[in-house]
Structures are given as C-alpha cells and as structure tokens.
Amino acid sequence: MIYKKRTIPNELKALLSLNKRLPNNHEKKHVVRKNLLICQAGYNGELEFDAHIKEFQPAYPHAILHDLYLQQDGAYFQIDSLLITPSFITVIEVKNHKDKTVIKANPTQFIRVFQNGDRKPMHNPYIEVDRKIHLLKNWLDKRGIQIPIDGILAFAHTNELAIEHPSPEMKTMLTYEAPAHFRSLPIDEQILDGHAIYNLAHALLEHHKDYNPFPLADLYDIVPEDIIPGVICPSCERPGMQWGREKWNCPSCGHTGKTEHHQTVQDWFMLIQPKMTNREFRYFTQLNNRNVARGLLSKSGLQLIGERKAAHYILINEGQSPNR
Ligand SMILES: [Zn+2]
C-alpha cells in the first residue's frame, strides 16, 4: 500500500518560476535552465518508477513511501522511494539522464558517456545510497527497530546502461524491472507484522518535512531586482496581467481571472524572501492601488503580522503555498 505519494518537488516548482522570471540575457539564466532540466528529468524518472511499482501488490503487508526527507544525527537525507516489508526495508534511488552510463566494478566507477563520445566520471550513487541506509538504520535504531536494509539503484527506461563484469555491489536495474525484482525476494522471517509496518509508515510520515530551498535568489546569488515582476498569464505565460473590473486581464491574449495573483505571491516567497509587505505585493504584481492590494492580500491565504509600517504577510505554514 502506498502511504505517501510523490508531488512536484519545491525545488522544481521554484526553478520553473525562476526560469520564467529571469531575463534571457541574465548571466545566471544558463545555470538555472540547466538545473531546471536536471530537476525535471529526475522527477520524470521518479514518476516512471512510481507508475511501475503500482504493479507490485504482494499478499504480505507492506508500505511504500515516495520522496521522504528526514533528519538523523543532525544530517538531512532524502529517499526517492522506500519499501517496507515484514523482513526487510529497501531504499530506492532513481536516476534519469539522457547520456549513457557505464558502471565498472573493482573499483566501482560510474562513467557518463555523452552523445559525442566524451566520457566523464560521475559521483558514485552507491555511496549516496549507503549514506542514506546508514542514516535510516540509526533513525530506526533510535525507535528500537532492527531490520535488514538494502538499496537498489533504478534508472529510467530511456537510459542506456552498460554494467561491466563483475556485477556491481548494489542491485542496479531499469525502473520497469523493480516489481519483478521485489517479487523475487523471499519473506523468510516476520520481523514486522502488519501493525508494526503501519505504525512505522506513520512515524516516517510524521517526521517527514518537505525539502525547502527557498528563497532561490539567495541560493543562485541573484539580486531580487533582476527578477521580472508582474502577474504571469496562465494561458500565454507572459507577465503583465492588469487588474481592472474586479479581475486580472491579460493584454496579450485576453485571458481573465480572479486568482492569478496567488501564483505571483507564491513566486515571491519561493524566489525572493519569506515575507511580503503591501508595498512589495504592489511592486511584484505591478498594481498601484494600495486598498485593492490589501483586499487581494487578505484573500491570498497569508497571515498578517504586525501593524502599520511593520505590517507584513507570511505563509501560514512554512514551506507551503497559499493555494495548496
Ligand atoms: Zn495571456
């Protein structure tokens, strides 16, 4: 049973919005676009894995949790997908990139082969997975749970993979092979019964916290003034919607709507800073009426803090968008 579904990651949401709001000639445009493509490909690979793992419906009790972000020993670790069965736990790491990957053993080496034939060594993902297993083991130890934990590395099906002999230290496969792999594993010993699996899945959900890279302008060292303000039209994707007759109007394509500023407010929090004044709202939506701004802000699902000059708005739940 799936206890946690995957949703679009904060980092991807923020990169999509930064890419829209950064001028094409900006010096950071290239790196933003590159990271956006990497992030998007990673997410697509994970969605592909999720679609395949739905086929895995064993008769024994089990739990699947996608995209967990946990803290242990002062370190954060992110798990793409986790499978809990009565006799073992598997940490699944999903990779997706368009180049060929060659995996060599003794010593383990990951080499990326580009379309033009160039070869470049990659970070060894087994080390990444081992670190996650180690931290998860400590997390479980603290809760009195001792169960074998292993890891698998799953590549999206479009990835070209060349595993050279001898076979690598960790199970490595394409995403569609994962259900058959899990079906082939015997459940020898019942360490966790159905009730314990349920409780563990809920404890993990309780301790999960969405990874939050905001504000992205800081992360990419971009001055906020370089970020293009304005309400972006959801229909033609151009900024510059104007408020009139109680709604937002797109001068480019004629689209109208009442809630388009919600995304603009979300963009501010993701890109610029975790608070927003009435003046900042007017700047970022390019609205000149203070009272209209107050009215719109009051319906944006934000929390008003302070009075008069100190008044500002924050998100009600840190890391959550106003329209979620
Ligand atoms: Zn438009």
Side-chain angles (χ1 to χ4, degrees), residues 209-276:
K209 189 173 174 286
D210 279 342
Y211 170 65
N212 181 343
F214 310 148
L216 230 53
D218 281 0
L219 203 65
Y220 282 85
D221 203 14
I222 292 170
V223 290
E225 293 73 30
D226 289 353
I227 293 174
I228 301 168
V231 174
I232 296 178
C233 170
S235 178
C236 71
E237 302 217 316
R238 290 195 185 90
M241 290 192 89
Q242 289 157 6
W243 182 259
R245 298 180 178 223
E246 305 278 298
K247 58 185 190 284
W248 292 103
N249 304 276
C250 176
S252 304
C253 75
H255 173 84
T256 62
K258 283 183 180 290
T259 55
E260 277 65 11
H261 60 286
H262 287 176
Q263 181 61 47
T264 317
V265 166
Q266 200 185 330
D267 287 357
W268 174 273
F269 287 105
M270 291 194 296
L271 304 180
I272 296 173
Q273 60 176 9
K275 60 176 203 159
M276 187 183 218

Side-chain angles (χ1 to χ4, degrees), residues 52-85:
H52 290 300
I53 207 66
K54 278 189 195 147
E55 289 169 28
F56 177 64
Q57 292 179 0
Y60 54 77
H62 68 287
I64 294 170
L65 297 100
H66 297 304
D67 193 21
L68 278 175
Y69 192 58
L70 300 167
Q71 192 183 16
Q72 179 61 39
D73 306 332
Y76 282 96
F77 61 111
Q78 186 268 342
I79 294 174
D80 289 344
S81 294
L82 190 74
L83 169 67
I84 307 169
T85 77

